[in-house]
Amino acid sequence: MTIFKKTAFLLLALCVVSCSNTEKEMGKTSSYANDTHSYAKPNEAVAKHLLLDINVDFEKEIIKGTARYTIESTNATEIIFDAKHLKIQETFVDGEKVKFSLGANDPVLGQPLSIPIKNDSRTVSITYETTDKTEALQFLNPQQTADKEHPFLLTQGQAILTRTWIPIQDSPQVRLTYTARVKVPKELLAIMSAENPKEKNETGQYSFEMKQPISPYLIALAVGDLVYKEISPRTGVYAEKSMIDKVHYEFADMEKMVNAAENLYGKYAWDQFDIVVLPPSFPFGGMENPRLTFATPTVIAGDRSLTSLVAHELAHSWSGNLVTNATWNDFWLNEGFTVYFEMRIMEALYGKEHANMLASIGRQDLAEEIEGFHDQPEATHLKLDLKGKNPDDGMNSIAYDKGYLFLRTLEETVGRDKMDVFLKEYFNRHSFSTMTTEKFLKYLNTELLEKNNVEFNVKDWVYKAGVPKNAATITSDKFQKVEEAIAKWEKGTLNETELCKKDWNIQQKIHFIRNIPKEISIEKFTALDTACQFSTATNSYIAMVWFEQAINHDYHANNVDQHIENFLMTVGRRWYVSTLYKAFKRNDKLEDAKRIYEKARANYHSVTANTIDDMLGISN
Ligand code: BES
Ligand code: ZN
């Protein structure tokens, strides 16, 4: 290479890094990574602000209205949005009606919606209606709610479902601000991932504003007969009337958690941190919608034993909502960092031993997940390749628990002080932007490893299967006690009544149940249930792991089959129900699974139903 060529090359390389930064600072369209799960071409034309004006029709079970965008473009002749199962009616550019076109429908991605624009076009409006095929929305009848009086609506956007209720550039990199006007029946309150009303009004008309730019998967709406109860000036809970006091008690530590999180990685960026507890069909434990986490009622245990979920969703206010995975292949940047941060918050509030119990549960989940992928080792990489697949297929415990283990091992290698300085600066420097795995690794190398002269096998962790040899070992004294008790029980030197009298916390009980030996006799298993009453456990986590063991051990006494069926009929939390259906399948009881699923399916949100359809081989 000649000197001239070398210099030109260098200049070009420098420009790739810094010119895009300057562009961003100037507020122009910056360079977006290639996202195979969106039709949008944000490098050409991108939406920066959304004004959503919608009406929620509970009779027809649809949402209809207008999505009006403020856009920016560079020499583009069209702007492309993602739309799936939507009826697009009319489109306008700067108030003038234009002809749109909808491309071919892909079963995962939906359709590209193209709208012609000019260089100086500023706004694009789309009038539309959702259809009964919508995947994000779940309309519930009164029977499916806690109070049983009014219907309910909830949305779930992650990963690529927002396009089924709003035509949008549905890539996590396309951050936008939004305002919304939502009309609902007078008896109901509407709340969103935005600044929220605290009580119902006479008109049923509510206005919302999200001033900070967020990713489309974080736009969320819940409509129901909800009330609010404050925990601290900036934290509080929404729930149905009959639940609100229990929910308020369960989540009493919310403000303490926000404080602990701020002490670790900097100021909470979203002003308000509220949680809405939804009906049991909500498909996730929690969803980190900014300012308003959505949560399952299955964590309302009465004894605050499952509140690590709050720490988890709160942690996403940094990892995920502030620094966002650029594409779904980088999902581990959202979830792995969040689990690490969750454990740090739990440690700050309840001590190291408690955090280590939670981490040990995750460590066992990881071992089981890797075992399940023995014929698909690439599925255990942190960085995924989900091109041509539904991103949901990549959303298993690898991102969470291997991601956590990577960061914990890194922490133990460099020392906690350096790790914390690094992470705080990482969030600070990249706030309100998106991150690819490669960009993170580069930052990690220069800002943590090289700076401190540390060698670390980062690439093995990120681009190879399984768990590298240098992984941190996680131990918990309280879990060791459980393991000793199991050994004695197996040998016959400790009986079931003695076992159940042990002063164990919920995590210890979960660890115990999950590690009941495969070979234990059905007599002992039955005696255990009769003594500990696990089949009628009120704690949903205990019930779930017990039911899984009951299926594994072909156990049918104490009316457990009926309890399993009731559980699957009411709870729609994907992790819980998929664990149970998977257990039926693994134990050659596919017929039992199908019989229950046939009745239960109508109660499930589409993300849960899709997972179980695939698992049981049901085509829909
Ligand atoms: N963001 C996830 C939920 C999610 C993941 C939605 C993938 C759609 C696709 C949320 O933060 C989460 O991880 N929830 C967990 C709870 C948590 C305590 C591990 C869940 O739902 O169980
Ligand atoms: Zn999460």
Side-chain angles (χ1 to χ4, degrees), residues 291-309:
R291 299 182 70 112
L292 181 66
T293 280
F294 281 26
T296 170
T298 62
V299 292
I300 309 303
D303 58 4
R304 302 180 180 162
S305 57
L306 304 178
T307 53
S308 60
L309 178 112

Side-chain angles (χ1 to χ4, degrees), residues 486-537:
I486 294 176
K488 285 189 192 157
W489 179 47
E490 223 184 343
K491 265 198 279 169
T493 55
L494 184 74
N495 71 30
E496 291 77 21
T497 320
E498 288 161 336
L499 260 177
C500 299
K501 279 209 192 109
K502 294 220 173 262
D503 183 21
W504 283 346
N505 63 34
I506 296 291
Q507 280 68 30
Q508 284 176 297
K509 288 182 187 167
I510 288 161
H511 189 62
F512 169 71
I513 295 171
R514 288 183 81 188
N515 291 286
I516 293 173
K518 269 204 192 80
E519 306 73 24
I520 209 85
S521 72
I522 195 72
E523 288 75 25
K524 277 187 141 176
F525 197 89
T526 312
L528 182 69
D529 192 20
T530 307
C532 307
Q533 306 269 304
F534 287 138
S535 288
T536 49

Side-chain angles (χ1 to χ4, degrees), residues 234-301:
R234 61 169 170 177
T235 68
V237 289
Y238 289 91
E240 292 180 68
K241 269 193 237 72
S242 64
M243 296 274 291
I244 192 75
D245 289 332
K246 275 187 244 165
V247 168
H248 189 264
Y249 174 83
E250 204 78 24
F251 294 159
D253 280 347
M254 276 171 78
E255 174 62 37
K256 284 188 204 146
M257 287 188 181
V258 182
N259 269 316
E262 287 189 316
N263 285 336
L264 285 166
Y265 303 132
K267 201 176 166 340
Y268 180 73
W270 310 89
D271 301 329
Q272 190 73 23
F273 178 58
D274 291 330
I275 300 185
V276 56
V277 172
L278 300 158
S281 67
F282 181 59
F284 294 101
M287 178 64 214
E288 65 272 25
N289 299 315
R291 299 182 70 112
L292 181 66
T293 280
F294 281 26
T296 170
T298 62
V299 292
I300 309 303

Side-chain angles (χ1 to χ4, degrees), residues 89-162:
Q89 284 146 341
E90 290 181 314
T91 57
F92 302 85
V93 173
D94 293 327
E96 276 191 40
K97 192 167 163 179
V98 296
K99 228 177 126 195
F100 64 87
S101 69
L102 271 170
N105 182 54
D106 175 275
V108 175
L109 304 179
Q111 297 172 281
L113 165 65
S114 315
I115 300 172
I117 53 166
K118 300 202 187 77
N119 240 345
D120 58 353
S121 300
R122 296 285 301 136
T123 65
V124 172
S125 298
I126 307 161
T127 57
Y128 72 99
E129 265 182 44
T130 62
T131 63
D132 61 2
K133 289 209 181 71
T134 176
E135 292 167 328
L137 305 179
Q138 191 178 19
F139 282 93
L140 301 169
N141 60 45
Q143 273 313 309
Q144 292 170 291
T145 67
D147 291 354
K148 318 246 177 268
E149 273 180 39
H150 295 286
F152 204 102
L153 167 69
L154 60 90
T155 69
Q156 169 58 38
Q158 198 179 12
I160 55 168
L161 305 182
T162 301

